[in-house]
Amino acid sequence: MTRVELLQLLVGQARTNGFEFRRWYVGKLGLPWQSARHAVEMLAAERRYYALLFSHEFASTFWKPGELMTFQVPMQSFTRRMKDGSIGTVQRKGTRDGARGRMRGCIT
């Protein structure tokens, strides 16, 4: 897969989520608009794709808000040296937490 093809896929995904590529291209780079294909080729040829990839506007539409995720940590026990120097057993209760997965890693 070439850099142009990869950029087309990334821009396509962001456009699906509401990213206005033409407005960003003309506004941020100040270049005249000819076509989406030409714009992606210009980004790839002049190594301006960093401006796109690290743009907050692009990233926030590329990574659309995620679903509610629940994290579960199982109950555990282990031994450790206590403050007074003795060896003791630590018992930890299992925990459960929920969070919205926006721009977070995938947890399965």
Side-chain angles (χ1 to χ4, degrees), residues 7 13 17 24-25 27 33 35 37 46 48 60 67-68 73 75 84 88 90-93 104 106:
L7 284 171
Q13 176 65 42
N17 294 337
W24 178 87
Y25 184 82
W33 181 262
S35 69
R37 172 91 178 157
E46 297 182 11
R48 292 184 174 195
S60 64
E67 299 176 5
L68 181 64
V73 178
M75 193 171 96
D84 63 1
V90 177
Q91 303 251 351
R92 293 224 170 122
K93 295 189 286 184
R104 292 182 184 217
C106 179

Side-chain angles (χ1 to χ4, degrees), residues 1-8:
M1 178 178 287
T2 66
R3 185 172 291 140
V4 172
E5 292 170 337
L6 181 59
L7 284 171
Q8 283 178 327

Side-chain angles (χ1 to χ4, degrees), residues 30-79:
L31 299 173
W33 181 262
Q34 293 179 9
S35 69
R37 172 91 178 157
H38 180 263
V40 169
E41 288 173 355
M42 288 297 290
L43 289 175
E46 297 182 11
R47 303 190 76 136
R48 292 184 174 195
Y49 51 87
Y50 290 110
L52 173 69
L53 297 178
F54 292 104
S55 163
H56 177 74
E57 187 179 353
F58 171 79
S60 64
T61 53
F62 182 81
W63 302 100
K64 64 181 181 179
E67 299 176 5
L68 181 64
M69 296 184 291
T70 301
F71 307 94
Q72 293 181 331
V73 178
M75 193 171 96
Q76 58 182 327
S77 65
F78 54 92
T79 58

Side-chain angles (χ1 to χ4, degrees), residues 80-88 90:
R80 64 173 271 194
R81 185 170 305 273
M82 306 308 259
K83 288 184 180 181
D84 63 1
S86 65
I87 303 294
V90 177

